[in-house]
Coordinates of all heavy atoms in Angstrom, one line a residue:
Q11 N 0.8 -1.2 0.0 CA 0.0 0.0 0.0 C 0.9 1.3 0.0 O 0.6 2.2 -0.7 CB -0.9 0.0 1.2 CG -1.9 1.1 1.2 CD -2.9 1.1 2.4 OE1 -2.6 0.3 3.3 NE2 -3.9 1.8 2.3
E12 N 1.9 1.2 0.8 CA 2.8 2.4 0.8 C 3.5 2.6 -0.6 O 3.6 3.7 -1.0 CB 3.9 2.2 1.9 CG 4.8 3.4 2.0 CD 5.9 3.2 3.1 OE1 5.7 2.3 4.0 OE2 6.9 3.9 3.1
L13 N 3.9 1.5 -1.2 CA 4.5 1.6 -2.5 C 3.4 2.2 -3.5 O 3.8 3.1 -4.3 CB 4.9 0.3 -3.0 CG 5.6 0.2 -4.4 CD1 6.9 1.1 -4.4 CD2 6.0 -1.2 -4.8
D14 N 2.2 1.8 -3.4 CA 1.1 2.3 -4.3 C 1.0 3.8 -4.1 O 0.8 4.6 -5.0 CB -0.2 1.5 -4.0 CG -1.2 1.9 -5.0 OD1 -0.9 2.1 -6.2 OD2 -2.4 1.9 -4.7
L15 N 1.0 4.2 -2.8 CA 0.9 5.7 -2.5 C 2.1 6.5 -3.1 O 1.9 7.5 -3.7 CB 0.8 5.9 -1.0 CG -0.5 5.5 -0.4 CD1 -0.4 5.6 1.1 CD2 -1.7 6.4 -0.9
K16 N 3.3 5.9 -3.0 CA 4.4 6.6 -3.5 C 4.4 6.7 -5.0 O 4.7 7.7 -5.6 CB 5.7 6.0 -3.0 CG 6.0 6.2 -1.5 CD 7.2 5.5 -1.1 CE 7.5 5.7 0.4 NZ 8.7 5.1 0.9
I17 N 4.1 5.6 -5.6 CA 4.0 5.6 -7.1 C 2.9 6.5 -7.6 O 3.0 7.3 -8.5 CB 3.8 4.2 -7.6 CG1 5.1 3.3 -7.4 CG2 3.5 4.2 -9.1 CD1 4.9 1.9 -7.7
G18 N 1.7 6.4 -6.9 CA 0.6 7.3 -7.2 C 0.9 8.8 -7.1 O 0.6 9.6 -8.0
F19 N 1.6 9.1 -6.0 CA 2.1 10.5 -5.8 C 3.0 11.0 -6.9 O 2.9 12.0 -7.5 CB 2.7 10.7 -4.5 CG 3.2 12.1 -4.2 CD1 2.3 13.1 -3.9 CD2 4.5 12.4 -4.3 CE1 2.8 14.4 -3.6 CE2 5.0 13.7 -4.1 CZ 4.1 14.7 -3.8
S20 N 4.0 10.1 -7.2 CA 5.0 10.5 -8.3 C 4.3 10.6 -9.7 O 4.6 11.5 -10.4 CB 6.1 9.5 -8.3 OG 6.8 9.4 -7.1
F21 N 3.4 9.6 -9.9 CA 2.8 9.6 -11.2 C 1.8 10.8 -11.4 O 1.7 11.4 -12.4 CB 2.0 8.3 -11.4 CG 1.6 8.0 -12.9 CD1 2.6 7.9 -13.8 CD2 0.3 7.9 -13.2 CE1 2.3 7.7 -15.2 CE2 -0.1 7.7 -14.5 CZ 0.9 7.5 -15.5
S22 N 1.1 11.2 -10.3 CA 0.2 12.4 -10.3 C 1.1 13.6 -10.6 O 0.6 14.5 -11.4 CB -0.5 12.5 -9.0 OG -1.4 11.5 -8.8
R23 N 2.2 13.7 -10.0 CA 3.1 14.9 -10.3 C 3.5 14.9 -11.7 O 3.5 16.0 -12.4 CB 4.3 14.8 -9.4 CG 5.2 16.0 -9.4 CD 6.2 15.9 -8.4 NE 7.0 17.2 -8.3 CZ 8.2 17.3 -7.8 NH1 8.7 16.2 -7.2 NH2 8.8 18.4 -7.8
M24 N 3.9 13.8 -12.3 CA 4.3 13.7 -13.7 C 3.1 14.1 -14.6 O 3.3 14.8 -15.6 CB 4.8 12.3 -14.0 CG 5.5 12.2 -15.4 SD 4.6 11.4 -16.7 CE 3.5 10.3 -16.1
L25 N 1.9 13.6 -14.3 CA 0.7 13.9 -15.1 C 0.5 15.4 -15.0 O 0.1 16.1 -16.0 CB -0.5 13.2 -14.5 CG -0.6 11.7 -14.9 CD1 -1.8 11.1 -14.1 CD2 -0.7 11.5 -16.3
R26 N 0.5 16.0 -13.8 CA 0.3 17.5 -13.7 C 1.3 18.3 -14.6 O 0.9 19.2 -15.3 CB 0.4 17.9 -12.2 CG -0.8 17.8 -11.5 CD -0.8 18.5 -10.1 NE 0.3 18.1 -9.3 CZ 0.3 17.1 -8.4 NH1 -0.7 16.3 -8.4 NH2 1.4 16.8 -7.7
R27 N 2.6 17.9 -14.5 CA 3.6 18.6 -15.2 C 3.4 18.5 -16.8 O 3.6 19.4 -17.5 CB 5.0 18.1 -14.9 CG 5.4 18.5 -13.5 CD 6.8 18.1 -13.3 NE 7.4 18.7 -12.1 CZ 8.6 18.4 -11.7 NH1 9.4 17.6 -12.3 NH2 9.0 19.0 -10.6
N28 N 3.0 17.3 -17.2 CA 3.0 17.0 -18.7 C 1.6 17.2 -19.3 O 1.5 17.5 -20.5 CB 3.5 15.6 -18.9 CG 4.9 15.5 -18.6 OD1 5.7 16.4 -18.8 ND2 5.3 14.3 -18.0
L29 N 0.5 17.0 -18.6 CA -0.8 17.0 -19.2 C -1.8 18.0 -18.7 O -2.8 18.2 -19.4 CB -1.4 15.6 -19.0 CG -0.6 14.4 -19.6 CD1 -1.3 13.1 -19.2 CD2 -0.4 14.5 -21.1
L30 N -1.5 18.8 -17.7 CA -2.5 19.7 -17.1 C -2.8 20.8 -18.1 O -4.0 21.1 -18.3 CB -2.0 20.3 -15.8 CG -3.0 21.1 -15.1 CD1 -4.3 20.3 -14.8 CD2 -2.5 21.7 -13.8
D31 N -1.8 21.4 -18.8 CA -2.1 22.4 -19.8 C -3.0 21.9 -21.0 O -3.9 22.5 -21.5 CB -0.8 23.0 -20.3 CG -0.1 23.9 -19.3 OD1 -0.8 24.3 -18.4 OD2 1.1 24.0 -19.4
L32 N -2.7 20.6 -21.4 CA -3.5 20.0 -22.5 C -4.9 19.8 -22.0 O -5.9 20.0 -22.8 CB -2.9 18.7 -22.9 CG -1.5 18.8 -23.6 CD1 -0.9 17.4 -23.8 CD2 -1.6 19.5 -24.9
A33 N -5.1 19.3 -20.8 CA -6.4 19.1 -20.2 C -7.2 20.4 -20.1 O -8.4 20.4 -20.4 CB -6.3 18.4 -18.9
K34 N -6.5 21.5 -19.7 CA -7.2 22.8 -19.6 C -7.7 23.3 -20.9 O -8.7 23.8 -21.1 CB -6.3 23.8 -18.9 CG -6.1 23.6 -17.4 CD -5.2 24.6 -16.8 CE -5.0 24.4 -15.3 NZ -4.1 25.4 -14.7
A35 N -6.8 23.0 -22.0 CA -7.2 23.5 -23.3 C -8.4 22.6 -23.9 O -9.3 23.2 -24.5 CB -6.0 23.3 -24.3
K36 N -8.4 21.3 -23.6 CA -9.5 20.5 -24.1 C -10.8 20.7 -23.3 O -11.8 20.7 -23.9 CB -9.0 19.0 -23.9 CG -10.1 18.0 -24.5 CD -9.6 16.6 -24.5 CE -10.6 15.7 -25.0 NZ -10.4 15.2 -26.3
F37 N -10.7 20.9 -22.0 CA -11.9 21.1 -21.2 C -12.0 22.5 -20.8 O -12.0 22.8 -19.6 CB -11.9 20.1 -20.0 CG -11.8 18.7 -20.4 CD1 -10.6 18.0 -20.2 CD2 -12.8 18.0 -21.0 CE1 -10.4 16.7 -20.6 CE2 -12.7 16.7 -21.4 CZ -11.5 16.0 -21.2
H38 N -12.1 23.4 -21.7 CA -12.0 24.9 -21.4 C -13.2 25.4 -20.7 O -13.1 26.4 -20.0 CB -11.8 25.7 -22.7 CG -12.8 25.5 -23.7 ND1 -12.8 24.4 -24.6 CD2 -13.9 26.1 -24.0 CE1 -13.8 24.4 -25.4 NE2 -14.6 25.5 -25.1
K39 N -14.4 24.7 -20.8 CA -15.6 25.2 -20.1 C -15.4 25.0 -18.6 O -15.9 25.8 -17.8 CB -16.8 24.5 -20.6 CG -17.2 25.0 -22.0 CD -18.5 24.3 -22.4 CE -18.9 24.8 -23.8 NZ -20.1 24.3 -24.2
D40 N -14.9 23.9 -18.2 CA -14.7 23.5 -16.8 C -13.3 22.9 -16.6 O -13.1 21.7 -16.5 CB -15.7 22.5 -16.3 CG -15.7 22.2 -14.8 OD1 -15.2 23.1 -14.1 OD2 -16.2 21.2 -14.4
P41 N -12.2 23.8 -16.6 CA -10.9 23.3 -16.7 C -10.5 22.6 -15.3 O -10.8 23.1 -14.3 CB -10.0 24.6 -16.9 CG -10.9 25.7 -16.4 CD -12.3 25.3 -16.6
P42 N -9.8 21.5 -15.4 CA -9.3 20.8 -14.2 C -8.2 21.6 -13.5 O -7.4 22.3 -14.2 CB -8.8 19.5 -14.7 CG -8.4 19.7 -16.2 CD -9.4 20.8 -16.6
T43 N -8.1 21.6 -12.2 CA -7.1 22.2 -11.5 C -5.9 21.3 -11.2 O -4.8 21.7 -10.9 CB -7.6 22.8 -10.2 OG1 -8.2 21.8 -9.4 CG2 -8.6 23.9 -10.5
T44 N -6.2 20.0 -11.3 CA -5.1 19.0 -11.0 C -5.5 17.7 -11.7 O -6.6 17.5 -12.1 CB -5.0 18.8 -9.5 OG1 -3.8 17.9 -9.3 CG2 -6.2 18.1 -8.9
I45 N -4.5 16.9 -11.9 CA -4.7 15.5 -12.4 C -4.1 14.6 -11.4 O -3.0 14.7 -11.0 CB -4.0 15.3 -13.8 CG1 -4.6 16.3 -14.8 CG2 -4.2 13.9 -14.2 CD1 -3.9 16.2 -16.1
S46 N -5.0 13.7 -10.9 CA -4.6 12.9 -9.8 C -4.6 11.4 -10.2 O -5.4 11.0 -10.9 CB -5.5 13.1 -8.6 OG -5.1 12.2 -7.6
Y47 N -3.6 10.7 -9.7 CA -3.5 9.3 -9.9 C -3.3 8.7 -8.5 O -2.2 8.5 -8.0 CB -2.3 8.9 -10.8 CG -2.4 7.5 -11.3 CD1 -3.1 7.2 -12.4 CD2 -1.7 6.5 -10.7 CE1 -3.2 6.0 -12.9 CE2 -1.7 5.2 -11.2 CZ -2.5 5.0 -12.3 OH -2.6 3.7 -12.8
G48 N -4.4 8.3 -7.9 CA -4.4 7.9 -6.4 C -4.2 6.5 -6.2 O -3.9 5.7 -7.1
P49 N -4.3 6.1 -4.9 CA -4.1 4.7 -4.5 C -5.1 3.8 -5.1 O -6.2 4.2 -5.5 CB -4.2 4.7 -3.0 CG -4.7 6.0 -2.6 CD -4.6 6.9 -3.8
C50 N -4.7 2.5 -5.3 CA -5.5 1.5 -5.9 C -5.7 1.6 -7.4 O -6.2 0.7 -8.0 CB -6.9 1.4 -5.2 SG -6.9 1.0 -3.5
Q51 N -5.2 2.7 -7.9 CA -5.3 2.8 -9.4 C -4.1 2.1 -10.1 O -4.3 1.7 -11.2 CB -5.3 4.3 -9.8 CG -6.6 4.9 -9.3 CD -6.6 6.4 -9.7 OE1 -5.7 7.0 -10.2 NE2 -7.7 7.1 -9.3
I52 N -3.0 1.9 -9.4 CA -1.9 1.2 -10.0 C -2.3 -0.3 -10.3 O -2.1 -0.8 -11.4 CB -0.7 1.2 -9.1 CG1 -0.3 2.7 -8.9 CG2 0.5 0.4 -9.7 CD1 0.8 3.3 -9.5
P53 N -2.9 -1.0 -9.3 CA -3.3 -2.4 -9.6 C -4.4 -2.4 -10.7 O -4.4 -3.3 -11.6 CB -3.8 -2.9 -8.3 CG -3.2 -2.1 -7.3 CD -3.0 -0.7 -7.9
T54 N -5.3 -1.5 -10.7 CA -6.3 -1.4 -11.7 C -5.7 -1.2 -13.1 O -6.1 -1.8 -14.1 CB -7.4 -0.3 -11.4 OG1 -7.9 -0.6 -10.1 CG2 -8.5 -0.3 -12.4
L55 N -4.8 -0.3 -13.2 CA -4.1 0.0 -14.4 C -3.4 -1.3 -14.9 O -3.4 -1.6 -16.1 CB -3.1 1.1 -14.3 CG -2.3 1.4 -15.5 CD1 -3.2 1.9 -16.7 CD2 -1.2 2.5 -15.2
W56 N -2.8 -2.0 -14.0 CA -2.1 -3.2 -14.4 C -3.1 -4.2 -15.0 O -2.8 -4.8 -16.0 CB -1.4 -3.8 -13.1 CG -0.7 -5.1 -13.5 CD1 0.5 -5.2 -14.1 CD2 -1.2 -6.4 -13.2 NE1 0.8 -6.6 -14.2 CE2 -0.2 -7.3 -13.7 CE3 -2.3 -7.0 -12.7 CZ2 -0.3 -8.7 -13.6 CZ3 -2.4 -8.3 -12.6 CH2 -1.4 -9.2 -13.1
F57 N -4.3 -4.4 -14.3 CA -5.3 -5.3 -14.8 C -5.7 -4.9 -16.2 O -5.9 -5.7 -17.1 CB -6.5 -5.4 -13.9 CG -6.2 -6.2 -12.6 CD1 -6.5 -5.6 -11.4 CD2 -5.8 -7.5 -12.7 CE1 -6.3 -6.3 -10.2 CE2 -5.5 -8.2 -11.5 CZ -5.8 -7.6 -10.3
C58 N -5.9 -3.6 -16.4 CA -6.4 -3.1 -17.7 C -5.3 -3.3 -18.8 O -5.6 -3.7 -19.9 CB -6.7 -1.6 -17.6 SG -8.1 -1.2 -16.6
C59 N -4.0 -3.1 -18.4 CA -2.9 -3.3 -19.4 C -2.8 -4.8 -19.8 O -2.6 -5.2 -20.9 CB -1.6 -2.8 -18.8 SG -1.5 -1.0 -18.7
V60 N -2.9 -5.7 -18.8 CA -2.9 -7.1 -19.0 C -4.0 -7.5 -19.9 O -3.8 -8.3 -20.9 CB -2.9 -7.9 -17.7 CG1 -3.2 -9.4 -18.0 CG2 -1.6 -7.7 -16.9
R61 N -5.2 -7.1 -19.7 CA -6.4 -7.4 -20.5 C -6.2 -6.9 -21.9 O -6.5 -7.6 -22.9 CB -7.7 -6.9 -19.9 CG -8.9 -7.3 -20.6 CD -9.1 -8.8 -20.6 NE -10.3 -9.2 -21.4 CZ -10.4 -10.2 -22.2 NH1 -9.3 -11.1 -22.3 NH2 -11.4 -10.4 -22.8
H62 N -5.7 -5.6 -22.0 CA -5.5 -5.1 -23.3 C -4.5 -5.9 -24.1 O -4.7 -6.2 -25.3 CB -5.0 -3.6 -23.2 CG -4.6 -3.0 -24.5 ND1 -5.5 -2.6 -25.4 CD2 -3.3 -2.8 -25.0 CE1 -4.8 -2.1 -26.5 NE2 -3.5 -2.2 -26.3
N63 N -3.4 -6.3 -23.5 CA -2.4 -7.2 -24.2 C -3.0 -8.5 -24.6 O -2.7 -9.0 -25.7 CB -1.2 -7.4 -23.3 CG -0.4 -6.1 -23.2 OD1 -0.4 -5.2 -24.0 ND2 0.4 -6.0 -22.1
E64 N -3.9 -9.1 -23.7 CA -4.5 -10.4 -24.1 C -5.4 -10.2 -25.3 O -5.4 -11.0 -26.2 CB -5.4 -10.8 -22.9 CG -4.6 -11.4 -21.8 CD -5.5 -11.7 -20.6 OE1 -6.7 -11.4 -20.6 OE2 -5.0 -12.3 -19.6
I65 N -6.1 -9.1 -25.4 CA -7.0 -8.8 -26.5 C -6.2 -8.6 -27.8 O -6.5 -9.1 -28.8 CB -7.9 -7.6 -26.2 CG1 -9.0 -8.0 -25.1 CG2 -8.6 -7.1 -27.5 CD1 -9.7 -6.8 -24.6
Q66 N -5.1 -7.8 -27.7 CA -4.3 -7.5 -28.8 C -3.6 -8.8 -29.4 O -3.4 -8.9 -30.6 CB -3.2 -6.5 -28.5 CG -3.8 -5.1 -28.2 CD -4.5 -4.5 -29.3 OE1 -4.0 -4.5 -30.5 NE2 -5.7 -4.0 -29.1
N67 N -3.2 -9.7 -28.5 CA -2.5 -10.9 -28.9 C -3.4 -12.1 -29.1 O -3.0 -13.2 -29.3 CB -1.5 -11.3 -27.8 CG -0.4 -10.2 -27.7 OD1 0.0 -9.6 -28.6 ND2 0.0 -10.0 -26.5
F68 N -4.7 -11.9 -29.1 CA -5.7 -13.0 -29.3 C -5.5 -13.6 -30.7 O -5.4 -12.9 -31.7 CB -7.1 -12.4 -29.2 CG -8.2 -13.5 -29.4 CD1 -8.4 -14.5 -28.5 CD2 -8.9 -13.5 -30.6 CE1 -9.4 -15.4 -28.7 CE2 -9.8 -14.5 -30.8 CZ -10.1 -15.4 -29.8
Q69 N -5.4 -14.9 -30.7 CA -5.3 -15.7 -31.9 C -6.6 -16.5 -32.0 O -6.8 -17.4 -31.1 CB -4.1 -16.6 -31.9 CG -2.8 -15.8 -31.9 CD -2.5 -15.0 -33.1 OE1 -2.8 -15.5 -34.2 NE2 -2.0 -13.8 -33.0
R70 N -7.4 -16.3 -33.0 CA -8.6 -17.1 -33.2 C -8.3 -18.5 -33.5 O -7.4 -18.9 -34.2 CB -9.4 -16.5 -34.3 CG -10.7 -17.1 -34.5 CD -11.5 -16.4 -35.6 NE -12.8 -17.0 -35.7 CZ -13.7 -16.6 -36.4 NH1 -13.5 -15.5 -37.2 NH2 -14.9 -17.2 -36.5
Q71 N -9.1 -19.4 -32.8 CA -8.9 -20.8 -33.0 C -10.2 -21.5 -33.3 O -11.2 -21.1 -32.7 CB -8.3 -21.5 -31.8 CG -6.9 -21.0 -31.4 CD -6.4 -21.6 -30.1 OE1 -7.0 -22.4 -29.5 NE2 -5.2 -21.1 -29.7
D72 N -10.2 -22.5 -34.2 CA -11.4 -23.2 -34.4 C -11.5 -24.4 -33.4 O -10.5 -25.2 -33.3 CB -11.5 -23.8 -35.8 CG -11.6 -22.7 -36.9 OD1 -12.2 -21.7 -36.6 OD2 -11.1 -22.9 -38.0
Y73 N -12.5 -24.4 -32.6 CA -12.7 -25.5 -31.7 C -13.7 -26.5 -32.1 O -13.6 -27.7 -31.8 CB -13.1 -24.9 -30.3 CG -12.1 -24.1 -29.7 CD1 -12.2 -22.7 -29.6 CD2 -10.9 -24.7 -29.2 CE1 -11.2 -22.0 -29.0 CE2 -9.9 -23.9 -28.5 CZ -10.1 -22.6 -28.5 OH -9.1 -21.9 -27.9
W74 N -14.7 -26.1 -32.8 CA -15.7 -27.0 -33.3 C -16.5 -26.4 -34.4 O -16.4 -25.2 -34.7 CB -16.7 -27.4 -32.1 CG -17.2 -26.2 -31.4 CD1 -16.7 -25.6 -30.3 CD2 -18.4 -25.4 -31.8 NE1 -17.5 -24.5 -29.9 CE2 -18.5 -24.3 -30.8 CE3 -19.3 -25.4 -32.8 CZ2 -19.5 -23.4 -30.9 CZ3 -20.3 -24.4 -32.8 CH2 -20.4 -23.4 -31.9
T75 N -17.1 -27.3 -35.2 CA -17.9 -26.8 -36.3 C -19.3 -27.5 -36.2 O -19.4 -28.7 -36.2 CB -17.3 -27.2 -37.6 OG1 -16.0 -26.7 -37.7 CG2 -18.1 -26.8 -38.8
P76 N -20.3 -26.7 -36.1 CA -21.7 -27.3 -36.0 C -22.1 -28.0 -37.3 O -21.9 -27.5 -38.4 CB -22.6 -26.2 -35.7 CG -21.8 -25.0 -35.6 CD -20.4 -25.3 -36.0
K77 N -22.6 -29.2 -37.1 CA -23.2 -29.9 -38.3 C -24.5 -30.4 -37.9 O -24.8 -30.7 -36.8 CB -22.3 -31.1 -38.6 CG -20.9 -30.8 -39.2 CD -20.2 -32.0 -39.6 CE -18.8 -31.6 -40.1 NZ -18.0 -32.8 -40.5
L78 N -25.4 -30.5 -39.0 CA -26.8 -31.0 -38.8 C -27.1 -32.0 -39.9 O -26.9 -31.7 -41.0 CB -27.7 -29.8 -38.8 CG -29.2 -30.1 -38.8 CD1 -29.6 -30.6 -37.5 CD2 -30.0 -28.8 -39.2
W79 N -27.6 -33.1 -39.5 CA -28.1 -34.1 -40.4 C -29.6 -34.1 -40.3 O -30.1 -34.2 -39.2 CB -27.5 -35.5 -40.1 CG -26.1 -35.6 -40.5 CD1 -25.5 -35.9 -41.7 CD2 -25.0 -35.4 -39.6 NE1 -24.2 -35.9 -41.6 CE2 -23.8 -35.6 -40.3 CE3 -24.9 -35.0 -38.3 CZ2 -22.5 -35.5 -39.8 CZ3 -23.6 -34.9 -37.7 CH2 -22.5 -35.1 -38.5
A80 N -30.3 -34.0 -41.4 CA -31.8 -34.1 -41.3 C -32.3 -34.9 -42.5 O -31.7 -34.9 -43.6 CB -32.3 -32.6 -41.4
E81 N -33.4 -35.6 -42.2 CA -34.1 -36.3 -43.3 C -35.2 -35.4 -43.7 O -36.2 -35.1 -43.0 CB -34.6 -37.6 -42.7 CG -35.3 -38.5 -43.7 CD -34.3 -39.3 -44.5 OE1 -33.2 -39.6 -44.0 OE2 -34.6 -39.5 -45.7
L82 N -35.1 -34.9 -45.0 CA -36.1 -34.0 -45.5 C -37.0 -34.8 -46.6 O -36.4 -35.4 -47.4 CB -35.5 -32.8 -46.1 CG -34.6 -32.0 -45.2 CD1 -33.9 -30.9 -46.0 CD2 -35.5 -31.4 -44.1
P83 N -38.3 -34.6 -46.5 CA -39.2 -35.3 -47.4 C -38.9 -34.8 -48.9 O -38.7 -33.6 -49.1 CB -40.6 -34.8 -47.0 CG -40.5 -34.3 -45.6 CD -39.1 -33.8 -45.5
G84 N -38.7 -35.7 -49.7 CA -38.4 -35.4 -51.1 C -36.9 -35.2 -51.4 O -36.5 -35.2 -52.6
L85 N -36.1 -34.9 -50.4 CA -34.7 -34.7 -50.6 C -33.8 -35.8 -50.0 O -32.7 -36.0 -50.4 CB -34.2 -33.4 -50.0 CG -34.8 -32.1 -50.6 CD1 -34.4 -30.9 -49.9 CD2 -34.3 -32.0 -52.1
G86 N -34.4 -36.5 -49.1 CA -33.6 -37.6 -48.4 C -32.8 -37.0 -47.3 O -33.1 -36.0 -46.7
Q87 N -31.7 -37.7 -47.0 CA -30.9 -37.2 -45.9 C -30.0 -36.1 -46.3 O -29.3 -36.2 -47.3 CB -30.0 -38.4 -45.3 CG -29.3 -38.0 -44.1 CD -28.6 -39.2 -43.4 OE1 -28.8 -40.3 -43.8 NE2 -27.9 -38.9 -42.4
C88 N -30.0 -35.0 -45.6 CA -29.2 -33.8 -46.0 C -28.2 -33.5 -44.8 O -28.5 -33.7 -43.6 CB -30.0 -32.6 -46.2 SG -31.1 -32.8 -47.6
E89 N -27.1 -33.0 -45.1 CA -26.1 -32.6 -44.1 C -25.9 -31.1 -44.3 O -25.6 -30.6 -45.4 CB -24.8 -33.3 -44.3 CG -23.7 -33.0 -43.3 CD -22.4 -33.7 -43.5 OE1 -22.4 -34.8 -44.1 OE2 -21.4 -33.1 -43.1
F90 N -25.9 -30.4 -43.2 CA -25.7 -29.0 -43.2 C -24.5 -28.7 -42.3 O -24.4 -29.2 -41.2 CB -26.9 -28.2 -42.6 CG -28.2 -28.4 -43.4 CD1 -29.1 -29.4 -43.0 CD2 -28.4 -27.6 -44.5 CE1 -30.2 -29.6 -43.8 CE2 -29.6 -27.8 -45.2 CZ -30.5 -28.8 -44.9
E91 N -23.6 -27.9 -42.8 CA -22.4 -27.5 -42.0 C -22.2 -26.0 -42.0 O -22.4 -25.4 -43.0 CB -21.2 -28.2 -42.7 CG -19.9 -28.1 -41.9 CD -18.8 -28.9 -42.5 OE1 -19.0 -29.8 -43.3 OE2 -17.6 -28.6 -42.2
W92 N -21.8 -25.5 -40.9 CA -21.6 -24.1 -40.7 C -20.4 -23.7 -41.4 O -19.3 -24.3 -41.4 CB -21.4 -23.8 -39.2 CG -21.2 -22.4 -38.9 CD1 -20.0 -21.7 -38.8 CD2 -22.2 -21.4 -38.6 NE1 -20.2 -20.4 -38.5 CE2 -21.5 -20.2 -38.4 CE3 -23.6 -21.4 -38.6 CZ2 -22.2 -19.0 -38.1 CZ3 -24.3 -20.2 -38.3 CH2 -23.6 -19.1 -38.1
S93 N -20.5 -22.6 -42.2 CA -19.3 -22.0 -42.8 C -19.4 -20.5 -42.6 O -20.4 -19.9 -42.6 CB -19.2 -22.3 -44.3 OG -20.3 -21.8 -45.0
E94 N -18.2 -19.9 -42.5 CA -18.2 -18.5 -42.2 C -18.0 -17.7 -43.5 O -17.5 -18.1 -44.4 CB -17.0 -18.1 -41.3 CG -17.2 -18.8 -39.9 CD -16.1 -18.4 -39.0 OE1 -15.5 -17.3 -39.1 OE2 -15.7 -19.3 -38.2

């Protein structure tokens, strides 16, 4: 928890120095006075980054293909297979 607070404090300072003027220009009707990165946000950011990387690296795999066999009057036995 102490490490999270120290990192959050340092990161908030870096955000204020680098992004506060850009944020004020973008949100000119209600400009922010500070940008904060508080406790518990570091683990949340980590989870978001991990999930983003999982999504970016996703490799589609075929696991199964649905098939249907049916006996249709006048046609006999028919096989239907899913195709994309």
